[in-house]
Amino acid sequence: MTTDDKARTGPGPAGFGPAVAHHAWRLSGRIVAGVGQLLLWILTGVGTLLRPLAVRLGARLNGGAGRGPGAPPGQTAPLPRWINTWREVVEAWYFAPLTGLALTIAALAELAPRVDSPISLAGGFAVAATFPLVWRRENLRAVAAVVLSAVAASLLTGQILLVTTSFAALYTLYALGRRLPRQSTGVLAVGSVAALGVVYLATGTLDDIPWPAPIVAVLAAIGLGDARRVVESAGRTEAEAAERTNETLTRLTAVQREQAVMRERARIARELHDVVAHSVSMIAVQAETAPYTMDDLSPEARASYTEIAKTARDALVEMRRLLSVLRADATPEPEAANSPQPRLDRLPDLIEQHRGAAATSTSPCTAIRAPCPRRWSCRRTGSSRRR
């Protein structure tokens, strides 16, 4: 049999059971999500209808537009104070133990008029279904296993159904739906509905309650927990996205500031280069050429001119170092070692500048460009030299 024949005929008898279980499992998850979404839609519609009243009440509680003109300006709005206080109490470590103990006491108080003594099988089931909620924050799955098992055993043994134990079971299902992933939530829903079916078929404990009511309550509790998990996950995702956006904007701002600083440093370096470096280079050139353009110089004057040229060259080296520090973003050029000294093609300009310094010079020049060192000749009136 080919693959196409298997696809047309479907799974064999051996794989039919797992396939049905898999589809039932996925369908249960979708049913739970659908019930939770339906409840959210209903709550959203009710909220939309009650929005005008909620706006007025919220404005009054928040100290907004609902306050009268004669209200004291420094009066604190009551609602934010209540909300902050409630959040602090809920987040405190003692909230779960106190609520668990209160629920246990309420279960025993509800059971007391119906039995002769609280120390009985019904009392044990009531305590087992409520007291473990004291540790629900630290060990939710273990607590849920104890609570749900105690409630199921109480129903299977024909004990009295209490409101407090029913609330404990529904709250546990809600907490599990809020904590577990979607697939595990579907398995939980299927198991809970199956347990209710066993209770209805095996005992008469829930005969007074129509069977759709417990099923809807169980699916609603799990669906609300799953919907709350989705909302919290979306909120965390949005918060993380906003945090990443803020980090990106902060880095971008830092990069822009750094680039602005580098551009300013490059501008300062260019101005220094244009204003100072070429002038110092001209001083060095004039000091070096002075012994060849001026007659009757004493040895002391020649040595002074040589020292001036050397000092100017050293100043140019220091200027290049300063410019390299300022222009940290500039890429080095192949001729950076000779810059800012003028090249041979600018020799006529240098001669004109030299003439402007009260020196007389006649220099017809011929330059030969070659890979080897440059050779040039310069004739001065009455003499000739070669470098």
Side-chain angles (χ1 to χ4, degrees):
M1 181 180 292
T2 61
T3 305
D4 296 337
D5 296 335
K6 292 181 179 180
R8 287 193 296 267
T9 57
F16 183 74
V20 171
H22 177 69
H23 288 294
W25 170 53
R26 296 181 59 184
L27 180 62
S28 63
R30 294 180 181 178
I31 291 175
V32 170
V35 171
Q37 189 64 40
L38 179 61
L39 292 175
L40 287 178
W41 286 342
I42 295 174
L43 293 176
T44 303
V46 174
T48 303
L49 294 176
L50 298 178
R51 182 171 297 174
L53 180 60
V55 170
R56 292 184 180 180
L57 182 61
R60 183 173 297 275
L61 292 176
N62 287 314
R67 291 195 307 173
Q75 184 178 0
T76 305
L79 185 59
R81 184 171 64 251
W82 296 344
I83 292 177
N84 293 332
T85 304
W86 174 251
R87 287 178 179 175
E88 292 177 358
V89 172
V90 170
E91 294 176 357
W93 66 270
Y94 53 80
F95 180 75
L98 288 180
T99 52
L101 290 174
L103 191 61
T104 304
I105 295 173
L108 294 176
E110 183 183 1
L111 183 64
R114 303 184 182 184
V115 296
D116 297 334
S117 175
I119 305 176
S120 59
L121 184 61
F125 283 136
V127 172
T130 55
F131 187 71
L133 293 176
V134 171
W135 300 279
R136 63 182 181 271
R137 286 186 176 178
E138 292 79 8
N139 303 294
L140 177 60
R141 296 190 179 186
V143 168
V146 175
V147 171
L148 296 178
S149 299
V151 173
S154 174
L155 295 177
L156 290 174
T157 55
Q159 303 299 323
I160 302 174
L161 180 63
L162 301 178
V163 177
T164 50
T165 56
S166 302
F167 174 77
L170 293 176
Y171 176 80
T172 303
L173 293 175
Y174 166 80
L176 287 175
R178 185 179 175 183
R179 185 76 60 87
L180 298 178
R182 177 65 57 82
Q183 297 177 352
S184 300
T185 303
V187 175
L188 177 64
V190 172
S192 301
V193 173
L196 286 175
V198 171
V199 170
Y200 269 101
L201 294 176
T203 65
T205 308
L206 301 178
D207 290 343
D208 297 335
I209 303 175
W211 63 267
I215 295 177
V216 171
V218 168
L219 294 180
I222 299 175
L224 285 177
D226 182 75
R228 180 66 181 275
R229 179 187 59 80
V230 172
V231 171
E232 291 178 351
S233 178
R236 287 192 298 268
T237 303
E238 292 179 358
E240 292 174 358
E243 184 177 359
R244 288 194 298 268
T245 302
N246 293 334
E247 291 179 357
T248 303
L249 292 177
T250 302
R251 289 196 295 266
L252 181 60
T253 303
V255 170
Q256 291 177 349
R257 291 178 180 175
E258 184 178 356
Q259 290 178 352
V261 172
M262 295 176 67
R263 286 195 296 269
E264 183 66 18
R265 292 170 61 179
R267 185 186 64 81
I268 295 174
R270 286 194 301 269
E271 292 181 358
L272 286 176
H273 180 273
D274 296 338
V275 175
V276 179
H278 287 295
S279 299
V280 176
S281 179
M282 191 62 223
I283 293 174
V285 171
Q286 289 182 353
E288 287 183 346
T289 57
Y292 304 104
T293 58
M294 300 176 65
D295 298 329
D296 301 330
L297 285 177
S298 63
E300 292 81 4
R302 292 178 180 274
S304 299
Y305 278 118
T306 302
E307 186 64 24
I308 291 173
K310 180 178 180 301
T311 304
R313 299 294 180 185
D314 294 339
L316 286 175
V317 173
E318 296 297 330
M319 180 63 66
R320 292 191 196 101
R321 294 176 181 175
L322 176 61
L323 294 180
S324 64
V325 172
L326 289 177
R327 301 184 64 181
D329 59 332
T331 53
E333 300 178 356
E335 298 181 356
N338 297 327
S339 178
Q341 299 179 13
R343 296 179 298 182
L344 189 60
D345 55 359
R346 293 192 58 194
L347 187 58
D349 297 336
L350 295 178
I351 292 175
E352 291 299 328
Q353 293 180 4
H354 184 64
R355 289 174 180 172
T360 302
S361 176
T362 302
S363 302
C365 302
T366 302
I368 302 175
R369 297 179 179 272
C372 59
R374 298 173 180 173
R375 300 168 56 195
W376 59 278
S377 62
C378 180
R379 279 198 317 276
R380 185 171 57 87
T381 303
S383 66
S384 175
R385 290 183 179 274
R386 178 182 298 271
R387 281 189 181 180

